[in-house]
Amino acid sequence: MAEGKKKSRIIPKKYPMPEQDPNERVKNFNEVPLGQDAETITLEAKRCLQCKESPTRKLCKDGCPVEIDIPGFIKQVQEGNFSEAMRIIRLKQNLPAVCGRVCPYENQCEGNCIVGKKNDPVGIGRIERFLADWERNEQKKGKIEAPPSTGKKVAVVGGGPAGLTVAGDLAKLGHKATVFEALQYSGGVLVYGIPEFRLPKEIVKAEVDFIRRSGVDIKNDHVVGKLETVDELLEEHDAVFIGTGAGLPNWTNLEGENLNGILSANEFLTRVNLMKAFNFPDYDTPIRVGKRVVTLGGGNVAMDCARTALRLGAEESIILYRRSDAELPARREEIHHAKEEGVRFELLAAPVKYIGDDCGNVKQIEAIRMELGEPDDSGRRRPIRIEGSNFVLDCQTVLIAIGQSPNPLVPMATPDLKTTKWGTIAVDADGRTSKKGVFAGGDISTGAATVILAMGDGKRAAKAIHKYLTEDPSWPDAETFEKASC
Ligand code: FAD
Ligand code: SF4
Ligand code: SF4
């Protein structure tokens, strides 16, 4: 049937996703969206027009950084072939249950959906989520068929989305990949950053197990740069991939920042996620949260902090952000959920200093009102201080979520690895670094970004490593990285 004929029958809204009630969910850490059943997902898939590719317009597929054949897998769902739909997804995607939950699809695949021009776009993310959950419940836990071994060995430093993707793709090509991960759990930000109520840890564990069963070895509690160097890894492996992420918190450097009760988002979320600080007394590692918590920042990390603070018992949780609602960089769904849960947004305001009590605990934050000027380099309107508009907010906890920088340990321990002025590892388009045989990707080379962009980097690097190991060991000259590091 022609696309034009189908358009008239489109149901304008996505089939609703059941969610925990906001008043209930702020008292627990269970996942907020509850998922949809097979019947509803099939109806959602039937909203897709199966658009034909054309050089003159962008489609869903063009918005997916790992190039999943979206119309292809949705067609299979329309026909009830979930297994085949999942096979198509797995050709390109190593962490489907994760991406179906946390991908910023509104700016990616769904942002390009033709249906979305006049109606809600097809719910590509939720269909992917359903299929991955369906597969997890259906699949046998055995070893996954591996191709014949090439005898080549690759060390992957960092077990986040970038590292796991490289390792999974190399295993599919017959290479032996070993992941060296600093923490006791693998998954990177997926385990230590994104909270349980957005991404249950058992789902990350299942995705990591899938990669392990495809033949990847994972060595946890293994800090590269301390236990061994990249050079030592190169002696035992044919190539090395560095995917150590951007876990170094940025600070405001304002007066009073060392008061008790002021924490980086990174420390706060890690203590909640990894040390189960929310589960006291079952876990003996509680975290103190005041009655009023102020979170600085407006991205996903800030939303995660503000919503976690409510679940830990804060009576009031406030986001302080220097631009307006339209510029909030977090996913719209997270902003919507935060508002539903009662997070208060103090917009167009920036911190000036922190004020402590006699015991060295933070008791107030002084802030100043802002207005928006001309767009800056990022394309967003520049926030400008309104002199004399200072105000004070009482608070007992401040969470700083104003961005993360690349983890410096591996670059510092590898002096011949060229870095940029932002501390990221300089790479060419294939993820090759200034050091022969060493590749890098994900947040350590792009700066803090998204799961799917880190995975896209991982996929490109895996292809390039395969080419390096099997057909073309040539390497770019030093000048390439001089340019990349500027
Ligand atoms: P990471 O996920 O940081 O993984 C790096 C891994 O390397 C870590 O496991 C680390 O322990 C390990 N490592 C570091 N140094 C060493 C070493 N020396 N030796 C061995 N191992 C080492 N993105 C989205 O798309 N959607 C979201 O909703 C979203 N929400 C987020 C919420 C939070 C709180 C945070 C912090 C980020 C969020 N992001 C989100 C961003 C996304 O998670 C990251 O862009 C992505 O995880 C980057 O993947 P990566 O593999 O490059 O790095
Ligand atoms: Fe969309 Fe992300 Fe899935 Fe790609 S991986 S199809 S961008 S939800
Ligand atoms: Fe379906 Fe939207 Fe992709 Fe068209 S653009 S094939 S309607 S998901």
Side-chain angles (χ1 to χ4, degrees):
M1 190 184 289
E3 275 171 43
K5 282 201 172 170
K6 284 184 185 174
K7 273 180 194 161
S8 57
R9 292 203 318 240
I10 289 176
I11 290 156
K13 293 272 172 206
K14 285 181 187 173
Y15 284 84
M17 168 70 84
E19 289 178 349
Q20 276 200 74
D21 182 84
N23 296 321
E24 276 308 308
R25 69 186 192 230
V26 287
K27 297 180 209 146
N28 66 55
F29 275 79
N30 300 335
E31 193 174 10
V32 170
L34 300 170
Q36 290 165 298
D37 59 21
E39 199 182 329
T40 313
I41 279 298
T42 308
L43 289 171
E44 183 64 41
K46 286 184 177 166
R47 295 181 65 236
C48 169
L49 301 168
Q50 289 293 301
C51 311
K52 299 281 170 281
E53 284 185 48
S54 132
T56 55
R57 63 176 181 184
K58 284 194 166 181
L59 295 180
C60 51
K61 203 175 161 183
D62 303 306
C64 175
V66 295
E67 298 169 0
I68 294 177
D69 175 8
I70 298 169
F73 87 73
I74 292 187
K75 184 167 195 306
Q76 295 302 325
V77 177
Q78 290 175 341
E79 293 169 5
N81 302 327
F82 297 157
S83 179
E84 179 57 15
M86 207 47 217
R87 191 192 65 76
I88 294 171
I89 291 178
R90 284 242 176 246
L91 289 175
K92 300 283 181 169
Q93 166 62 287
N94 306 50
L95 303 168
V98 170
C99 290
R101 287 172 164 81
V102 304
C103 236
Y105 24 76
E106 63 271 29
N107 304 325
Q108 296 181 335
C109 53
E110 295 187 16
N112 280 358
C113 176
I114 299 297
V115 172
K117 295 211 181 299
K118 290 199 178 140
N119 305 291
D120 274 4
V122 175
I124 301 166
R126 56 184 61 180
I127 300 174
E128 189 174 338
R129 169 195 160 128
F130 167 84
L131 289 167
D133 290 353
W134 173 86
E135 182 196 62
R136 197 172 58 255
N137 295 330
E138 292 287 308
Q139 78 188 358
K140 297 174 199 77
K141 302 283 176 204
K143 198 161 183 273
I144 294 158
E145 192 94 7
S149 167
T150 61
K152 302 285 183 188
K153 295 198 294 181
V154 181
V156 174
V157 185
L164 292 173
T165 301
V166 170
D169 277 14
L170 288 172
K172 283 185 206 159
L173 293 163
H175 306 302
K176 183 73 212 169
T178 305
V179 176
F180 297 89
E181 166 54 49
L183 297 175
Q184 71 269 43
Y185 303 109
S186 308
V189 168
L190 310 180
V191 282
Y192 77 77
I194 303 181
E196 187 80 22
F197 56 83
R198 270 211 304 131
L199 182 59
K201 300 311 148 214
E202 68 174 43
I203 284 169
V204 183
K205 188 171 172 294
E207 301 264 44
V208 172
D209 281 350
F210 189 95
I211 289 168
R212 230 187 259 270
R213 285 190 293 121
S214 67
V216 171
D217 276 345
I218 303 183
K219 292 187 193 301
N220 289 104
D221 298 315
H222 210 102
V223 185
V224 173
K226 291 278 181 204
L227 291 180
E228 69 257 286
T229 61
V230 169
D231 283 301
E232 284 163 342
L233 287 177
L234 264 181
E235 282 168 20
E236 291 161 17
H237 300 83
D238 300 288
V240 172
F241 174 84
I242 302 170
T244 46
L248 187 71
N250 293 346
W251 295 95
T252 57
N253 296 321
L254 296 172
E255 185 187 327
E257 199 165 35
N258 58 353
L259 288 164
N260 296 325
I262 302 181
L263 286 86
S264 71
N266 205 302
E267 178 183 348
F268 178 68
L269 293 172
T270 303
R271 283 175 63 180
V272 175
N273 282 320
L274 282 192
M275 297 165 75
K276 309 282 177 210
F278 62 90
N279 207 354
F280 181 77
D282 289 350
Y283 285 78
D284 204 9
T285 44
I287 191 164
R288 186 173 161 272
V289 164
K291 281 187 180 170
R292 187 190 258 177
V293 177
V294 175
T295 300
L296 308 181
N300 288 322
V301 184
M303 300 305 140
D304 285 344
C305 285
R307 296 173 70 196
T308 298
L310 283 178
R311 285 162 173 78
L312 290 175
E315 288 172 14
E316 209 177 350
S317 182
I318 300 174
I319 293 263
L320 193 84
Y321 176 61
R322 60 194 184 138
R323 290 184 165 99
S324 74
D325 190 277
E327 289 84 22
L328 281 165
R331 295 178 58 214
R332 290 329 284 184
E333 184 178 318
E334 307 315 329
I335 298 167
H336 168 70
H337 280 153
K339 287 181 178 168
E340 272 188 340
E341 289 167 11
V343 172
R344 191 176 119 195
F345 284 71
E346 194 67 67
L347 299 170
L348 288 165
V352 173
K353 68 174 178 185
Y354 311 96
I355 301 159
D357 63 16
D358 295 341
C359 303
N361 299 314
V362 66
K363 66 168 188 182
Q364 286 175 324
I365 182 168
E366 183 180 323
I368 187 166
R369 301 274 171 213
M370 312 289 277
E371 60 188 351
L372 294 179
E374 293 301 310
D376 62 14
D377 293 345
S378 72
R380 292 176 304 169
R381 292 177 64 195
R382 188 191 302 273
I384 302 166
R385 287 164 170 250
I386 304 176
E387 291 310 329
S389 66
N390 296 39
F391 64 102
V392 166
L393 277 174
D394 290 341
C395 58
Q396 298 76 39
T397 306
V398 176
L399 303 173
I400 301 181
I402 55 165
Q404 300 93 236
S405 299
N407 284 325
L409 179 59
V410 172
M412 276 165 61
T414 321
D416 50 345
L417 202 57
K418 197 100 198 153
T419 53
T420 68
K421 62 183 174 190
W422 301 280
T424 52
I425 296 178
V427 290
D428 71 0
D430 287 334
R432 293 181 293 186
T433 71
S434 55
K435 197 170 167 68
K436 186 162 194 225
V438 179
F439 298 73
D443 283 4
I444 188 67
S445 64
T446 57
T450 64
V451 173
I452 195 65
L453 287 174
M455 291 179 65
D457 266 12
K459 291 200 106 47
R460 269 188 300 281
K463 263 192 210 156
I465 293 171
H466 179 64
K467 189 170 167 200
Y468 171 74
L469 295 179
T470 56
E471 53 179 278
D472 180 10
S474 66
W475 206 257
D477 56 17
E479 211 181 309
T480 309
F481 299 102
E482 282 304 328
K483 279 188 208 142
S485 65
C486 291

